[in-house]
Amino acid sequence: MAGPKKAPRRAERSLAFQVLYSLTFTPAMTVRDLANAFRQAPEQGDAAEKTGDPEGFAWELVEGVWTNMAEIDARLASFSQNWRIERMGKVEITLLRLALYEIMFRGDVPPKVAINEAVELSKQFGDDGSRGFVNGILDAAAKALESGKLLADAGQETLPEAQDGEPL
């Protein structure tokens, strides 16, 4: 008998986006705060009652973006030439962080997939201008990755392995 069916990655990205977006209003200061925010996400449904450690693709995205936020934001700043990060809309910056995390740190996600998913989420959560803005910045990031400049600029030669944070 098969175990519980895993949610499609698009649904997992949507959940990760919603958790990360909520953190733009109430930032998590510790991994424990992050885990609590994840458990309380409305999309969790019955899973919100879990008291165990968060897990799954959505959690990996949330924790990865949160852990690497400074580096992701530095890379975003270099691709968004006439836009300071603090001036970007909360929806757009959250989508950009999520997709750039996947591009930079998730070797299992092709850049085109990360970009497409961010554009699709922008259709759902953003306004009419979000798609072009998100696509333009992420396209520049993908081109920098192809040329080897993205990771070189970030001071990395290869994609890092998953990092262990503090206990939840």
Side-chain angles (χ1 to χ4, degrees), residues 141-159:
K143 286 178 181 168
L145 180 68
E146 285 175 15
S147 71
K149 187 166 172 39
L150 178 66
L151 297 180
D153 284 353
Q156 301 173 352
E157 293 179 19
T158 60
L159 295 175

Side-chain angles (χ1 to χ4, degrees), residues 98-159:
L98 182 58
L100 195 54
Y101 167 74
E102 288 190 84
I103 290 169
M104 290 177 65
F105 296 97
R106 297 290 305 217
D108 62 327
V109 178
K112 288 183 188 243
V113 171
I115 293 168
N116 183 60
E117 291 295 317
V119 168
E120 289 301 314
L121 286 171
S122 74
K123 291 177 187 176
Q124 183 178 355
F125 296 105
D127 62 24
D128 291 339
S130 295
R131 284 175 275 192
F133 181 74
V134 167
N135 189 52
I137 291 177
L138 293 177
D139 187 53
K143 286 178 181 168
L145 180 68
E146 285 175 15
S147 71
K149 187 166 172 39
L150 178 66
L151 297 180
D153 284 353
Q156 301 173 352
E157 293 179 19
T158 60
L159 295 175

Side-chain angles (χ1 to χ4, degrees), residues 56-141:
F57 185 64
W59 170 248
E60 291 171 15
L61 294 175
V62 168
E63 184 182 36
V65 170
W66 183 80
T67 301
N68 297 287
M69 184 99 56
E71 187 172 350
I72 292 167
D73 283 357
R75 297 286 59 90
L76 280 175
S78 70
F79 297 119
S80 56
Q81 293 175 350
N82 295 315
W83 285 89
R84 290 192 325 258
I85 298 244
E86 54 277 357
R87 298 246 0 233
M88 292 180 192
K90 290 181 182 342
V91 168
E92 291 77 13
I93 189 62
T94 302
L95 290 169
L96 290 167
R97 285 172 174 159
L98 182 58
L100 195 54
Y101 167 74
E102 288 190 84
I103 290 169
M104 290 177 65
F105 296 97
R106 297 290 305 217
D108 62 327
V109 178
K112 288 183 188 243
V113 171
I115 293 168
N116 183 60
E117 291 295 317
V119 168
E120 289 301 314
L121 286 171
S122 74
K123 291 177 187 176
Q124 183 178 355
F125 296 105
D127 62 24
D128 291 339
S130 295
R131 284 175 275 192
F133 181 74
V134 167
N135 189 52
I137 291 177
L138 293 177
D139 187 53

